[in-house]
Amino acid sequence: MADLRVVGHSHPRVDGLDKVTGTARFSPDIKLPRMIVGKILRSPHPHAKVFHVDTSRAARLPGVKAIVTAADTPDGNRRSSTYQFDDQGERAASSTPMVMDQTVFCEGVARFVGDEVAAVAAIDEETALEALSLIKVDYDLLPPVFNPLKAMEPGAPLLHDVERNIAYKFVIRRGDVEEGFAQAHVIHEEIYTTQLQHQAYLGPTACVADVDGAGRISLWTELQSPFRARRLLSDMLGLPASKVRIFQTHVGGGFGGKHFKRVQPICALLALKARRPVRLCLTREEEFIASPPRHATHIRLKMGASRDGALVAKETYIVLNSGAYGEVGPIILDTMTKRVDSLYRFANIKTDSFLVYTNTVPGGAFRGFGNPPMDFALESHMDTLAEKLAMDPVELRLKNARRVGEVSAHGWEVKSCALTECIEKAAEASRWKEKRARAKSSRSKPRGIGIGCMIHVSGCRYYPGFYGSNAVVTIGDNGQVYLLSGESELGQGCKTVMAQIVAEELGIRVADIVVPDLDTDFSPHSLGAYADRTTHIGGNATRLAAIDAKQQLFEFAAEMLEADPGDLVAQDGRIFPKGSPQRAVTFLEVARRSWFRAGGKEIVGRGSWDPPSVPPDPESQYGNVSSAYTFGAQVAEVEVDPKTGKVTILNFTAAHDVGKAINPMAVEGQLEGALVQGAGYGLMEDMVGVDGRTYNPNFLNYRLPTMLDIAPMKIMMVESNDPVGPYGAKGVAEPALVATAPALANAVYHAIGVRITSLPVTPQKILAALRAKEAKRRSE
Amino acid sequence: MKRPKRRAARRRAVLEKGQPLRRIEVTINGEEFDLTFKPARTLLELLRDDLDLTGTKEGCDGGECGACTVLIDDEPRLACLTLAATLRGKKILTIEGLAKDGRLHPLQRAFLEKGAVQCGYCTPGVILSAKALLDSNPAPTEEDIKKALAGNLCRCTGYQKIISAVLEAAAAP
């Protein structure tokens, strides 16, 4: 790997020029001839029977071209596909099946404020909004339930036909926790809660749908997994997959929030009915109230450690507030339930976890996917245990840190792991020892330093079927190379990374490679951007496609060089026999020959790669779910004003095991962006819900970190060179956010001695905790 | 549920009823336009819907995110909060007008080279806010940049590389 020429070197984005000049088209920018505007009517009630939808007055309004309700959806208005198949193409016996209970429109019952009831397409926005106000919906209010703990009680109103509103649950037992606790020198139990956090991508979700004369529907939209969306759409619209085509536009940020949503099928239904192109764009308010945010959670954690700091028992009770529907919730619950158990060498584990329906906005995927709330609980707990043991928190973590070659309690095989190195590097670079020991009482605004560690996956398999990626690399008449990948560019930079891989293998420049936007008619099938799988899995497929193209090209080069194709090397735009660079032909000459010579051919290289991971056994939940695990340690230093409770971040130090940084500048960008998002999760961001209504559905009241909120960030990429990843690469985008909130909470504790167990760590909570501490001190 | 947007749209329809169309002359990216539109048309609608200049982005339609920042007579302004009718005789610059004769502005180049762009949705607004800063303060400090760009939200980059890019552009010859 020492002589990599493109991989491992920072490269500007291949789509960057388009983005800095304003020509990049996102889904809200798409405009077609005769296009009309769609708008959605949503339930104003958290729980209500919808027994009649009268659209007759709206239909008479001039300019209204289509109105759709649940009655217009085919086949019972169902979301019917999990996209989890087995080796025979049958719906798979997944270890963690999604709960596909959300229909295109709510039918019969509205279950949250914002639940989609009907939609209109009209000649302009004003007319569409006017039409919505003319639709008369007869609601019969039902008793709602908002608190998941209350929703589990007997007699609570039920949202779906399940007992105690429990949509899914896990019961995990490893070793013997009772025996573990019996050996413990210290035991600590605490309840942690975390809030709804919105992805808050800057680009709203939009969809433009158009139907051709043959009834074939095309959609221009922003999706993290377009092939899954194609299947869902064909199921929901009652059309064969061949009648659905999805064009990926530029994506204005995703972070988990741009998976399939109701906006796509509703837009398609409107276009099918109006027989005109329809654009449906969510407003920022709609994004907040009805686009699935990170779930709110309730975690009771009890852990024991022996005198030397070994973690001997972990007992967890988790309630994940699913909101009104289940969807991807079980897999997020799975992540919360199991992931952190492989961070340290736990042997005795007892976990009961529940996904519970309430009449609130349904939660969904968001960077970290269930890992951040549980990591917040675990890593806060680690600091308390360290204090009880009179150990340094870094020391306690090093004592228990996962190491390479180990198999965790859940069967995860760790083939590369630089956790120890990450912790040591982060501690050293942040001057941990010195700052930890510093006297803090002398300052009017005490300072503190805290650490958080994390583990994540690079792809996570829940079913036995294809979990891989396909890629195609073709070579054109002028030596230009086309890379078709089914993976989604969300802004994270995967087009650039994939182009670097192709350039590396073909010995050409990134500038010679064209990476077209994804089109489900032409792009090869891949699963898309989630579970941090894109670089690790998609990168491997792309590399194989490039190698395949290269081998075909070498056949033509071999004719020209009178050499054995197996002896050839491609480097710096030239192809030559190994050891004889003076005998080179240019890449361009060979490409032209393959394209033009009699009996030649268009070179089409193909690569498919399915990771060697194992779905967990549905019963025991044991199995090596990912082909590579990522690790990291983050240190935050803060200053807390005890008068106001305000926390100021002084700096971050983040050391992450990325396997191999294919594009170091992009990796750094992922880490920096995630630190700031993680700081938002830790300190500021909170969707405030009262009686099922979101009270801050805008950027004025849902505060994102701004440029004034950031602090210096020291980023360290630790390269453990994973044996499976392309060039050793593992995922990086999601892990980078996981440990930020606990590092901040631990730093706040170090500064002022109060432990905030509920996110976000706001000034109000800090002041209340300081007051309680003072009251306790006085009473003693 | 409160539906402020819908109420606003209806109020707007009522207000506009019987009102004469507005007509202005305005310069956009160096080109002169004579435009006629409904009284409540915003600059953002004018740019995106009427002139198809979609480089100016709509992130919130409420003046909260900065994605629609354009320069009006060299000052950064939010197009979503600006009534088009107030722009008579003004000079407007959008992201589409920044590169001159196919040559990128130093800010555009620096944003590319420094990795200050990820999804790119906030980028046009951020670059225009930064241009206004550099035009009035050619050698800004990091604090100057933070203050000038605090109204431009970015969810991807964590801002650090944006600051580096603005510093780089300021140092460019």
Side-chain angles (χ1 to χ4, degrees):
Chain A
M1 296 270 172
D3 55 348
L4 291 172
R5 284 159 186 259
V6 188
V7 163
H9 302 273
S10 290
H11 199 283
R13 307 182 60 88
V14 296
D15 56 4
L17 203 52
D18 206 16
K19 289 178 174 179
V20 297
T21 51
T23 51
R25 287 205 182 92
F26 296 79
S27 59
D29 303 332
I30 302 296
K31 192 174 186 179
L32 298 180
R34 299 181 71 238
M35 187 175 82
I36 53 178
V37 180
K39 282 280 164 194
I40 296 172
L41 182 70
R42 299 173 179 282
S43 168
H45 307 295
H47 203 189
K49 266 197 181 124
V50 182
F51 61 84
H52 187 61
V53 183
D54 179 359
T55 59
S56 56
R57 279 183 68 206
R60 287 197 297 273
L61 185 71
V64 172
K65 300 295 175 191
I67 304 175
V68 290
T69 67
D72 296 278
T73 58
D75 299 335
N77 188 22
R78 274 272 138 204
R79 231 184 210 208
S80 55
S81 175
T82 61
Y83 214 55
Q84 294 176 350
F85 293 84
D86 68 11
D87 301 345
Q88 275 73 50
E90 302 289 327
R91 290 275 142 79
S94 169
S95 64
T96 313
M98 296 189 208
V99 180
M100 307 307 282
D101 52 8
Q102 186 169 327
T103 49
V104 181
F105 290 105
C106 67
E107 194 172 28
V109 179
R111 296 183 177 88
F112 72 100
V113 174
D115 218 348
E116 287 82 348
V117 175
V120 168
I123 48 159
D124 56 26
E125 192 178 346
E126 277 86 5
T127 310
L129 290 169
E130 184 69 30
L132 289 189
S133 69
L134 296 174
I135 297 176
K136 188 171 180 305
V137 185
D138 291 328
Y139 293 103
D140 194 357
L141 301 192
L142 296 169
V145 59
F146 306 115
N147 180 331
L149 301 179
K150 294 228 165 79
M152 292 169 79
E153 287 172 3
L158 293 180
L159 275 82
H160 299 270
D161 195 17
V162 294
E163 262 181 57
R164 294 168 62 209
N165 286 309
I166 297 171
Y168 206 81
K169 70 173 180 183
F170 286 96
V171 177
I172 303 281
R173 301 289 183 269
R174 307 282 187 238
D176 185 337
V177 279
E178 295 312 322
E179 201 176 301
F181 282 121
Q183 292 166 10
H185 176 62
V186 295
I187 293 174
H188 179 59
E189 183 170 347
E190 187 77 72
I191 290 173
Y192 301 90
T193 59
T194 67
Q195 81 283 29
L196 287 173
Q197 184 191 20
H198 201 275
Q199 294 84 353
Y201 30 73
L202 262 282
T205 314
C207 181
V208 172
D210 187 28
V211 185
D212 72 10
R216 194 156 191 264
I217 187 150
S218 297
L219 295 103
W220 288 259
T221 187
E222 306 185 9
L223 287 162
Q224 296 189 215
S225 42
F227 287 93
R228 174 167 173 259
R230 182 175 70 183
R231 170 160 285 275
L232 288 168
L233 274 164
S234 82
D235 283 350
M236 294 166 88
L237 302 174
L239 292 171
S242 62
K243 295 257 186 201
V244 180
R245 181 178 191 179
I246 296 171
F247 295 93
Q248 178 88 300
T249 65
H250 280 285
V251 177
F255 315 114
K258 294 245 173 95
H259 283 289
F260 193 75
K261 287 193 264 211
R262 283 171 161 177
V263 60
Q264 282 99 8
I266 291 174
C267 188
L269 285 170
L270 286 170
L272 282 164
K273 193 152 183 187
R275 290 279 155 180
R276 281 177 77 158
V278 175
R279 184 206 282 158
L280 184 54
C281 182
L282 296 186
T283 64
R284 186 52 63 180
E285 183 186 358
E286 286 178 297
E287 289 282 7
F288 273 107
I289 66 166
S291 222
R294 190 192 301 291
H295 296 85
T297 72
H298 169 98
I299 301 161
R300 193 175 68 225
L301 180 60
K302 181 181 170 190
M303 275 164 57
S306 64
R307 193 181 292 271
D308 66 353
L311 300 171
V312 290
K314 170 177 175 278
E315 186 177 328
T316 320
Y317 175 86
I318 297 168
V319 176
L320 183 62
N321 184 350
S322 192
Y325 298 98
E327 301 298 306
V328 76
I331 310 182
I332 293 174
L333 186 69
D334 182 306
T335 304
M336 278 195 81
T337 304
K338 292 188 288 187
R339 192 150 302 168
V340 298
D341 295 349
S342 299
L343 174 60
Y344 300 120
R345 278 169 285 132
F346 290 107
N348 302 312
I349 298 164
K350 176 183 175 189
T351 305
D352 296 295
S353 60
F354 303 88
L355 179 70
V356 179
Y357 292 124
T358 64
N359 294 106
T360 57
V361 58
F366 186 173
R367 198 177 205 167
F369 204 73
N371 201 355
M374 192 59 222
D375 198 69
F376 164 67
L378 178 83
E379 288 294 283
S380 297
H381 223 72
M382 287 295 279
D383 268 33
T384 307
L385 285 174
E387 188 175 34
K388 288 191 170 186
L389 288 163
M391 264 178 105
D392 184 280
V394 163
E395 198 189 325
L396 180 64
R397 286 169 173 87
L398 286 172
K399 165 92 192 160
N400 292 283
R402 176 64 55 200
R403 286 172 202 153
V404 69
E406 293 176 346
V407 179
S408 81
H410 301 311
W412 296 16
E413 296 165 21
V414 179
K415 299 191 187 88
S416 64
C417 174
L419 176 58
T420 296
E421 206 181 336
C422 288
I423 298 171
E424 286 169 347
K425 283 197 163 190
E428 195 190 329
S430 62
R431 304 197 349 247
W432 172 270
K433 279 208 178 110
E434 175 194 333
K435 287 180 176 170
R436 196 73 193 175
R438 172 174 66 196
K440 9 179 212 253
S441 49
S442 57
R443 285 179 178 274
S444 63
K445 292 180 185 173
R447 291 181 168 195
I449 187 165
I451 188 168
C453 296
M454 54 70 54
I455 179 174
H456 208 66
V457 292
S458 303
C460 195
R461 188 189 283 274
Y462 294 102
Y463 54 94
F466 183 74
Y467 188 74
S469 189
N470 292 289
V472 171
V473 169
T474 73
I475 301 177
D477 60 329
N478 205 35
Q480 75 275 33
V481 172
Y482 299 90
L483 162 61
L484 299 172
S485 165
E487 302 296 351
S488 273
E489 171 66 69
L490 310 178
Q492 85 280 45
C494 75
K495 278 186 173 179
T496 313
V497 160
M498 304 288 183
Q500 284 180 273
I501 290 174
V502 173
E504 182 70 48
E505 291 301 332
L506 294 180
I508 55 176
R509 299 172 308 159
V510 170
D512 299 323
I513 298 168
V514 180
V515 194
D517 290 331
L518 196 152
D519 168 352
T520 54
D521 273 12
F522 293 104
S523 299
H525 170 222
S526 297
L527 269 70
Y530 56 92
D532 242 278
R533 58 185 296 294
T534 305
T535 298
H536 183 76
I537 297 176
N540 263 323
T542 297
R543 180 164 176 264
L544 292 175
I547 290 171
D548 186 21
K550 179 167 69 178
Q551 279 162 354
Q552 295 177 42
L553 194 68
F554 280 178
E555 296 288 332
F556 291 92
E559 296 171 4
M560 299 164 80
L561 291 163
E562 294 177 5
D564 182 348
D567 283 345
L568 298 180
V569 180
Q571 208 174 74
D572 298 332
R574 301 175 329 139
I575 295 168
F576 52 84
K578 213 170 285 168
S580 311
Q582 72 283 3
R583 279 183 62 204
V585 285
T586 66
F587 185 88
L588 173 63
E589 286 166 334
V590 188
R592 285 208 171 132
R593 188 176 170 86
S594 71
W595 185 277
F596 288 114
R597 92 148 158 73
K601 66 168 183 179
E602 179 173 7
I603 288 173
V604 179
R606 294 201 21 81
S608 298
W609 196 79
D610 201 7
S613 48
V614 181
D617 177 81
E619 281 303 308
S620 70
Q621 290 292 325
Y622 191 90
N624 184 33
V625 295
S626 183
S627 45
Y629 300 97
T630 53
F631 299 87
Q634 299 188 347
V635 173
E637 193 183 357
V638 302
E639 183 177 83
V640 185
D641 184 342
K643 290 202 181 75
T644 62
K646 183 176 160 50
V647 177
T648 305
I649 303 170
L650 299 174
N651 58 68
F652 279 119
T653 309
H656 278 258
D657 171 7
V658 302
K660 166 80 185 172
I662 291 178
N663 186 353
M665 182 167 76
V667 172
E668 217 171 73
Q670 286 304 307
L671 282 158
E672 289 173 359
L675 279 168
V676 172
Q677 246 176 37
Y681 186 51
L683 300 181
M684 329 166 52
E685 295 177 38
D686 189 1
M687 283 173 63
V688 180
V690 182
D691 295 342
R693 283 170 175 77
T694 303
Y695 266 63
N696 51 348
N698 51 61
F699 288 139
L700 196 61
N701 297 306
Y702 182 94
R703 302 299 290 177
L704 298 185
T706 72
M707 208 175 263
L708 293 171
D709 297 304
I710 67 163
M713 295 177 262
K714 185 167 179 54
I715 305 292
M716 282 176 287
M717 293 171 243
V718 182
E719 298 192 326
S720 61
N721 291 309
D722 184 74
V724 180
Y727 312 94
K730 306 194 269 191
V732 63
E734 292 194 49
L737 173 142
V738 175
T740 314
L744 286 164
N746 288 339
V748 167
Y749 181 81
H750 183 231
I752 52 168
V754 296
R755 166 70 52 195
I756 307 299
T757 54
S758 111
L759 288 181
V761 180
T762 57
Q764 292 91 325
K765 289 177 193 170
I766 287 173
L767 289 178
L770 283 171
R771 274 195 297 271
K773 188 183 166 195
E774 179 63 18
K776 195 174 166 209
R777 192 185 62 82
R778 280 202 192 135
S779 71
E780 275 166 3
Chain B
M1 185 183 57
K2 284 191 282 184
R3 294 204 185 91
K5 283 215 72 176
R6 191 175 313 168
R7 277 214 307 265
R10 239 183 294 168
R11 194 176 327 128
R12 179 163 145 171
V14 170
L15 281 175
E16 284 188 341
K17 205 163 210 169
Q19 290 287 316
L21 295 178
R22 300 292 193 266
R23 184 176 165 188
I24 60 165
E25 283 174 11
V26 63
T27 306
I28 301 173
N29 299 333
E31 196 180 334
E32 284 173 22
F33 288 87
D34 184 343
L35 299 168
T36 304
F37 43 82
K38 285 185 180 173
R41 201 83 174 142
T42 65
L43 173 58
L44 185 61
E45 293 165 325
L46 191 78
L47 292 170
R48 289 181 55 84
D49 300 338
D50 299 348
L51 301 174
D52 291 331
L53 289 167
T54 53
T56 305
K57 299 301 177 199
E58 177 176 333
C60 68
D61 200 25
E64 297 154 4
C65 75
C68 67
T69 304
V70 297
L71 301 190
I72 302 177
D73 287 348
D74 302 323
E75 291 292 324
R77 292 285 178 261
L78 297 173
C80 74
L81 295 184
T82 305
L83 283 175
T86 64
L87 298 172
R88 189 178 307 275
K90 302 272 189 199
K91 202 176 77 200
I92 292 157
L93 181 74
T94 74
I95 190 71
E96 288 94 341
L98 193 56
K100 287 273 176 294
D101 308 320
R103 286 201 52 207
L104 293 183
H105 186 275
L107 275 165
Q108 290 171 308
R109 219 166 22 242
F111 269 62
L112 271 180
E113 283 163 8
K114 287 283 167 187
V117 180
Q118 286 188 27
C119 89
Y121 202 84
C122 73
T123 304
V126 173
I127 287 180
L128 288 169
S129 289
K131 180 181 189 298
L133 169 69
L134 294 190
D135 286 349
S136 63
N137 177 2
T141 63
E142 202 166 313
E143 283 311 304
D144 295 337
I145 296 170
K146 284 185 178 178
K147 275 181 199 151
L149 270 58
N152 290 86
L153 294 178
C154 169
R155 191 56 156 169
C156 297
T157 64
Y159 302 109
Q160 194 58 57
K161 294 198 183 313
I162 294 178
I163 296 171
S164 307
V166 178
L167 288 170
E168 164 108 347

